[in-house]
Structure formats: structure tokens, C-alpha cells
Amino acid sequence: MKEISLHILDLVQNSIRAEAKRIDLTIEEYTDKTNDTLKVVLQDDGCGMSEEMVKSVTSPFVTTRTTRKVGLGIPLFKAGCEACGGSFKIESEEGKGTLLTGVYRHSHIDRPPLGDIADTVLLIATGNINIRFVYTHRVNENEYMLDTLELKRILGEVPLDDPEVIMFIKDFLVNNESELYGGM
Amino acid sequence: MKTLQELEAIRQKKINELNLRESAEGNTRIVVGLATCGIAAGARPVMSAFVEEVHKRQLQNVTVSQTGCIGLCRLEPIVEVFVPGQEKVTYCKVTPEQVSRIVAEHIVNGNPVVEYTVGSYE
């Protein structure tokens, strides 16, 4: 995975598989001297995991999939965080959901770029229209969010995955992302 | 700052179209594999390219959706196309550059691009 946003797209598939009704993704970036971190928090209200599964899920040889015996999504993400002076934590409770936190040191030379996060968020939000997806991105003191419930309220009977609606959301995301970093 | 206000205008416009669409039968489905293997091989830009191409051509009754790993990781990105009444077609090692041709020849004109399919690759 060349971008953190690709890891995120991958990890969200776990929440979808867990039949989550709501997924919250929060990205926080701080780039000052006292706080030099890039933090990814992914929370879902899916089926969760047993204590035993939580312990073993960071192993590449554990997966719920039946088509093959390896599961690389979580191990790859964890290794990436830890290789960049950060940390990884996963908490889960059966029937309640899962909370996943990955931290990178922002200025670490090996930290992958966040990448095309707008594209990732767009695909999650419009590809799973029955799931409420709440995305928040903070860069130092700037922040914006996207909540698919709010979009649906405005759209009424028009589906979230209508091509024209998708293009609007894409514009919205690209615009706001670039403003976060002080662009336009 | 871009706001959500414009979305209201899109809604107004779309409501009229929705009524028209209800009468049409059967959706063509484009399904992109978005598991770890697919994503690592470059499935995200492929998926975006399909979404954009469908929008550009104003295709009605075509949906682009995601699925997990189908077990052919070495051939990712994999895209399956379901046209109602026809056999499923599976494309492999798809690149964003191939997308417009698949949409034009297969989705619009009904002729699968045989050279991009799993069958011709293997």
C-alpha cells in the first residue's frame, strides 16, 4: 500500500463485512513541535470480535475469509504505523463494534503520504449507501466533516449513488481537503 | 469552502429523472474487487474511472459497486460486468486507461472486450 488512504479503504471493508450500520472515520494531523502525529481512528458498530480474535487479528495468518488463509489488511497497517514511530491499537466487543486507532509520527521519513483521501471517502460513502458514514478530517486547527445522513436528508428520494450526486460529493471533498492544507 | 447547498438543486433536477427511470428494466452492474489484494494492485483508481465514465456518458441503469476478494489475487484489479440476459464477463489486471474502452464497447454496445478478460489472459 503506497498511501494511508488505501489502508483506510481496505480497513473499512472489515467494518462492512461486520455489517456495521455506522462507520466513523477520523483523521487528525498535527504538525507542531509538541505534537507531531497523524492519527487514524476508525470506529464501527458492527458485530465486533471475541477477545481471542482481537488478540490474534494482527497476525497475517488469521482471517475470516474462506477463499484463502491469509489476511493482510490489519497486519500491514499496524506494521506501517510502528515503522514510523507510531502505534496501533484495536479494541472490540462482540455485538457492539470495533475501534481501531493507528498513529504515525507525522514527520517520519518513512511515513506514507495520506494520498487521495477524497477518493477513498467518496468510494466508501457512495459505495455503501445503507451505511451511515461520518468522516472528519482535522489538520492542526482546520477541520471539516462529511456525514452521509446529512446528505441523505437533503437528497430525499434521490439516491446517494446517483452519478451526478457522486460527482458533487467528489467536488465537495476535493475542495475541502485542499482548503484544510491552506490551498485555494 | 464548498457547502452542501448545491445538493438541493441537484435533488430538484433528479426527481423528474427518477420517474422516467422507474420504467426501465434490469440494471447493468459493474463490480470491482476492493479487498486488500485489489486495493494494493490499484483497484481504487479503476473504480473511480468507472464511476466517472458512467457519469460522463450519462448512462442510466448502470451501477458501479464493490465486492471483496474472489480468490484470484494475482490477477487483480478484477472487474466483473453483469449485463442482464448475458453471461457475466470477468476482466483482470484492469487499468484506469482500459476503462473507457470497456464502457464504450461492452456496456454501451454490448461487445465484451475479449482481450482484457480472464479467459484470454490465462
Side-chain angles (χ1 to χ4, degrees):
Chain A
M1 302 276 177
K2 290 180 184 148
E3 304 174 0
I4 296 173
S5 61
L6 290 175
H7 278 293
I8 293 170
L9 181 60
D10 186 21
L11 294 168
V12 165
Q13 307 302 322
N14 294 335
S15 302
I16 296 166
R17 276 281 295 274
E19 294 182 339
K21 299 230 163 16
R22 173 175 176 161
I23 300 172
D24 288 71
L25 167 67
T26 307
I27 300 172
E28 289 176 4
E29 297 183 58
Y30 295 100
T31 54
D32 48 81
K33 276 187 185 128
T34 48
N35 194 352
D36 173 23
T37 53
L38 188 158
K39 183 167 158 191
V40 177
V41 181
L42 187 64
Q43 181 165 28
D44 71 56
D45 64 353
C47 64
M49 289 176 281
S50 64
E51 222 173 292
E52 202 183 330
M53 188 69 181
V54 174
K55 277 189 196 137
S56 59
V57 80
T58 52
S59 155
F61 302 106
V62 170
T63 179
T64 56
R65 158 196 0 255
T66 50
T67 48
R68 57 185 155 79
K69 286 185 182 139
V70 292
L72 291 173
I74 290 174
L76 280 176
F77 180 59
K78 178 173 186 271
C81 293
E82 289 171 352
C84 298
S87 60
F88 172 85
K89 191 168 73 176
I90 184 163
E91 296 152 84
S92 187
E93 199 177 325
E94 266 177 295
K96 289 238 172 105
T98 301
L99 172 65
L100 197 146
T101 311
V103 183
Y104 298 82
R105 201 168 89 223
H106 203 290
S107 65
H108 198 286
I109 193 151
D110 289 329
R111 181 183 63 78
L114 182 58
D116 196 342
I117 188 68
D119 215 7
T120 283
V121 170
L122 182 73
L123 292 185
I124 298 169
T126 60
N128 310 281
I129 56 172
N130 296 319
I131 298 174
R132 177 176 179 190
F133 181 58
V134 184
Y135 167 65
T136 312
H137 190 175
R138 186 176 182 91
V139 178
N140 294 318
E141 69 283 354
N142 298 330
E143 184 185 282
Y144 87 99
M145 68 180 294
L146 179 91
D147 182 347
T148 56
L149 189 71
E150 194 188 344
L151 298 178
K152 279 187 181 172
R153 215 175 275 145
I154 299 172
L155 283 168
E157 56 275 75
V158 176
L160 202 56
D161 57 357
D162 178 282
E164 200 161 342
V165 174
I166 294 178
M167 286 303 131
F168 167 80
I169 301 172
K170 181 171 187 166
D171 253 25
F172 175 84
L173 291 166
V174 169
N175 250 283
N176 282 293
E177 286 298 327
S178 98
E179 266 180 42
L180 273 185
Y181 298 102
M184 329 203 279
Chain B
M1 182 91 175
K2 199 168 169 74
T3 64
L4 296 175
Q5 264 168 8
E6 276 172 58
L7 204 53
E8 178 60 35
I10 294 177
R11 180 184 111 96
Q12 293 298 344
K13 182 178 151 211
K14 284 288 157 183
I15 283 175
N16 305 324
E17 288 178 23
L18 274 184
N19 300 333
L20 294 173
R21 209 195 287 190
E22 266 167 31
S23 55
E25 59 181 272
N27 262 342
T28 291
R29 288 193 303 132
I30 302 168
V31 182
V32 183
L34 274 192
T36 311
C37 47
I39 294 168
R44 191 185 63 186
V46 169
M47 173 120 189
S48 304
F50 272 111
V51 170
E52 252 173 68
E53 195 68 24
V54 166
H55 173 249
K56 212 188 292 171
R57 290 176 165 269
Q58 299 284 317
L59 298 177
Q60 305 294 334
N61 304 308
V62 176
T63 60
V64 184
S65 55
Q66 341 178 336
T67 187
C69 171
I70 64 167
L72 285 169
C73 310
R74 67 188 196 290
L75 299 180
E76 294 281 357
I78 291 175
V79 176
E80 297 177 307
V81 176
F82 300 81
V83 178
Q86 286 178 28
E87 237 179 291
K88 173 188 87 176
V89 175
T90 306
Y91 295 104
C92 68
K93 287 189 173 272
V94 180
T95 64
E97 291 72 35
Q98 295 174 341
V99 167
S100 63
R101 192 172 155 204
I102 293 174
V103 171
E105 294 186 16
H106 189 174
I107 314 289
V108 177
N109 292 325
N111 305 311
V113 187
V114 177
E115 57 186 282
Y116 296 164
T117 59
V118 165
S120 99
Y121 183 85
E122 292 263 271

